[in-house]
Amino acid sequence: MNPATALATVLVDELVRCGLTDVVIAPGSRSAPLALAAHAESRLRLHVRVDERSASFLALGLAKRTDRPVAVICSSGTAAANFHPAVIEAAESGVPLLVLTADRPPELRGTGANQTIDQLKLYGTATRWFAELGVPEDRPGQVAYWRSLACRAYQRALGPGDPGPVHLNLPFREPLLPDGDTSWCEPLGGDANGPWVRVRVAPPPVALHLPPTRRGVLVVGDGAPNVRRYVAAAGMAGWPVLSEPQGGGRYGDHAVSTYHFLLGMPEFADAHPPDVVVTLGRPGLSRPLLSWLTRAPEHIVVAPDLDRWPDPTRSATQVAQAVEIPVASGDDAWLHAWRRADQAARAAMDEVLDSSGLSEPRLARDLVDALPNGALLFCGSSMPIRDLDQAMRPRRGIRVMASRGASGIDGLVSTAMGAALGHNGPSYGLIGDLSFLHDQNGLVLGPREPRPDLCLVVVNNDGGGIFSMLPQAAVRDPFERVFGTPHGVDLGYVTAATRTPHTLVEDISELPKALRGEGPRVVEVRTDRESNALVHARLKDAAQEAVRAALA
């Protein structure tokens, strides 16, 4: 057996023993040993994509939904560079990703050889761990080296406490294809009962016990740990829960879904100062919420890993791996005040949305309401996730995900595809037209590839809608070209190129029917950017006017 085949066979086998179930491959020559070993491994589900960037974001979505490491494989050169955006998102959002890049052997580097670049620590500080394997050789000791390193890579990607991307760079000398010879200088097999190295996880940390108080608030942001446990504890303590949609805590009687508008009102924010705020994950969608956090006298951030804790406002007074929220005695005036204001704002906002026609926030609200229990909703960055944050009513039974690590718009179609492939149930997406066009390669599926049940709802406002909400909108002369960036693309033709079913929704009443179907499909909803900005202004005015009346 040639050394390249031996290394690839052993490495893939050991990763499977550790728990690997999915591998994504972008085709290439130098990575042939890894691709063939993955293809031959019956315990793996294989996904092939022609574009490295799409492949890496597909792996990201799979790993994000399953909370397990997913491997992505590519050839050498700029193929590996195209993984970088997904590696950054995985690093920032704590997604376990195994990045396996093939490389030329050392003697070909720096010589002008084809597809040869410097791949050593290619992703810089965006990986949790990097290792370059030595060029495989037919000598004793290699199997222990390969298997122990595979275990270390898998476990470092998984965490626990600090999951993220791990990069293994694998230099291969030719020959790259199996030669039919199965002999090797030592047994290639691993432990029949599991991985080569068994990692023992430490017991749960001792929780920080808070003094009882009714005037507490639980804030749930992206990547929040143990959400159900903390939401239940907050409910017993009489605390309102302010949860971003993808935080997973927007359900139940304690969920305050209009916090963005409530905390944007000085008369409400000043009249409702908390004794303590406990934050799970990383909030980042609402500027009023972030501003309000800086005024909390006690702000406790829950972070499973104490080397990396989210504190974008630099307002944390304590950081703990776990917190115990005790039941507090006394009346429920604190919670009732929040709920009364929330109900008033919600009623006023719903009235505006119901009369807004086919507006983007109404689409976000009605889409969530229309989803069946057990559904996954992947939401794009920029305006879709903000529309969801401001318009989504509390509900149970769905899982909302978003790429909020680096909060970019790249790779979202592929990430949604990966998340859908990792979800046991129907999946949906809500993204903007620029995000869709940026990753239209995500619709390219070969005839033998696993096909997700994903309905992708694309908001087409012919450009960058979020800029109409920002100060840039006041720069009228260059605004449309430099920020609005109209593209004039007919999305129906884009979907037709990949034979992806396409439906155009022209009235909000058509949405439930348009969502029906199976497999990958696109629902396009056309909106107007200026009209949408006016609807957002009306939402804010109506919500705050209703709250003022309720407070009076």
Side-chain angles (χ1 to χ4, degrees):
M1 181 179 295
N2 65 62
T5 299
L7 166 57
T9 301
V10 169
L11 187 71
V12 168
D13 177 69
E14 190 60 38
L15 289 174
V16 170
R17 291 173 187 271
C18 289
L20 187 72
T21 60
D22 287 88
V23 170
V24 183
I25 293 175
S29 176
R30 189 61 54 166
S31 56
L34 291 169
L36 293 174
H39 183 270
E41 179 51 74
S42 61
R43 294 168 293 177
L44 285 175
R45 183 169 60 157
L46 190 63
H47 314 266
V48 180
R49 293 296 184 273
V50 298
D51 169 25
E52 283 82 9
R53 189 178 67 175
S54 178
S56 59
F57 277 106
L58 182 83
L60 176 82
L62 270 163
K64 190 176 182 70
R65 178 60 188 91
T66 61
D67 292 322
R68 294 194 307 269
V70 171
V72 59
I73 295 170
C74 75
S75 188
S76 62
T78 57
N82 278 286
F83 282 175
H84 205 162
V87 172
I88 290 173
E89 176 61 33
E92 295 299 321
S93 55
V95 175
L97 207 60
L98 286 168
V99 182
L100 309 182
T101 57
D103 201 355
R104 261 55 178 173
E107 62 268 19
L108 291 181
R109 298 174 189 172
T111 65
N114 285 335
Q115 289 183 257
T116 306
I117 66 172
D118 184 359
Q119 295 178 201
L120 300 185
K121 297 189 175 181
L122 178 63
Y123 310 115
T125 58
T127 59
R128 298 292 190 266
W129 185 57
F130 165 81
E132 173 168 72
L133 279 73
V135 178
E137 299 175 351
D138 187 359
R139 60 182 177 82
Q142 293 278 276
V143 171
Y145 167 42
W146 297 335
R147 289 191 180 274
S148 62
L149 188 140
C151 291
R152 186 183 297 271
Y154 187 92
Q155 189 59 44
R156 187 61 195 90
L158 184 62
D162 186 29
V166 163
H167 177 202
L168 297 183
N169 195 55
L170 297 105
F172 291 119
R173 291 192 180 103
E174 296 182 358
L176 303 173
L177 301 181
D179 52 15
D181 183 4
T182 59
S183 62
W184 191 253
C185 64
E186 61 181 340
L188 290 174
D191 190 336
N193 299 316
W196 191 266
V197 180
R198 292 171 176 81
V199 179
R200 303 300 181 189
V201 179
V206 176
L208 171 67
H209 286 259
L210 305 183
T213 177
R214 281 287 185 178
R215 299 180 67 87
V217 174
L218 177 66
V219 174
V220 186
D222 188 67
N226 303 317
V227 175
R228 291 190 177 275
R229 172 196 154 196
Y230 284 104
V231 169
M236 295 293 290
W239 292 12
V241 177
L242 318 183
S243 176
E244 294 183 345
Q246 80 283 9
R250 190 174 291 196
Y251 62 87
D253 294 337
H254 292 68
V256 175
S257 62
T258 63
Y259 63 84
H260 174 78
F261 298 105
L262 299 183
L263 298 179
M265 300 175 58
E267 51 267 63
F268 181 87
D270 293 344
H272 297 82
D275 294 332
V276 60
V277 175
V278 173
T279 297
L280 310 177
R282 182 179 67 173
L285 292 176
S286 171
R287 289 186 179 182
L289 172 62
L290 295 176
S291 177
W292 182 73
L293 286 176
T294 64
R295 299 160 55 187
E298 186 75 9
H299 178 198
I300 300 172
V301 172
V302 179
D305 181 74
L306 296 183
D307 290 330
R308 299 164 56 91
W309 67 81
D311 182 24
T313 59
R314 297 197 179 276
S315 58
T317 56
Q318 294 191 72
V319 179
Q321 290 179 290
V323 169
E324 193 70 38
I325 301 174
V327 176
S329 59
D331 61 44
D332 291 328
W334 171 251
L335 178 61
H336 286 161
W338 281 85
R339 292 183 62 188
R340 184 168 61 250
D342 181 54
Q343 290 166 359
R346 172 57 58 191
M349 290 170 59
D350 284 340
E351 186 175 341
V352 170
L353 292 178
D354 290 340
S355 63
S356 68
L358 196 55
S359 69
E360 294 175 23
R362 182 177 184 182
L363 173 65
R365 184 198 67 176
D366 290 4
L367 174 61
V368 172
D369 290 348
L371 298 186
N373 285 335
L376 167 72
L377 175 62
F378 179 85
C379 193
S381 298
S382 201
M383 280 311 299
I385 189 63
R386 288 174 172 82
D387 283 331
L388 205 65
D389 186 40
Q390 295 172 25
M392 175 184 168
R393 292 184 277 227
R395 71 157 291 183
R396 301 177 188 269
I398 65 168
R399 173 77 176 266
V400 179
M401 289 176 51
S403 289
R404 296 300 300 169
S407 303
I409 69 165
D410 46 343
L412 295 185
V413 175
S414 299
T415 307
M417 288 280 191
L421 285 166
H423 183 68
N424 183 24
S427 300
Y428 303 83
L430 178 64
I431 67 173
D433 50 336
L434 297 187
S435 299
F436 178 76
L437 293 173
H438 203 282
D439 190 32
Q440 57 187 286
N441 276 4
L443 296 179
V444 179
L445 292 173
R448 299 177 60 183
E449 297 311 305
R451 302 181 72 81
D453 182 10
L454 173 67
C455 178
L456 203 59
V457 179
V458 180
V459 179
N460 184 3
N461 54 35
D462 195 27
I466 192 171
F467 294 109
S468 297
M469 313 288 175
L470 300 177
Q472 288 92 326
V475 188
R476 299 301 301 175
D477 183 37
F479 174 80
E480 190 65 2
R481 183 180 182 189
V482 179
F483 299 106
T485 57
H487 50 78
V489 175
D490 189 324
L491 302 190
Y493 285 107
V494 174
T495 57
T498 56
R499 298 184 178 88
T500 304
H502 169 269
T503 303
L504 177 63
V505 168
E506 298 181 295
D507 188 274
I508 193 66
S509 63
E510 301 170 1
L511 180 64
K513 181 180 179 180
L515 295 176
R516 298 173 193 160
E518 295 181 351
R521 56 204 189 276
V522 171
V523 172
E524 179 186 355
V525 181
R526 294 177 185 167
T527 61
D528 179 80
R529 280 184 268 126
E530 291 192 5
S531 298
N532 187 58
L534 293 175
V535 170
H536 277 270
R538 288 173 55 204
L539 279 176
K540 177 181 177 181
D541 292 343
Q544 296 187 349
E545 183 178 341
V547 172
R548 290 188 187 97
L551 291 176

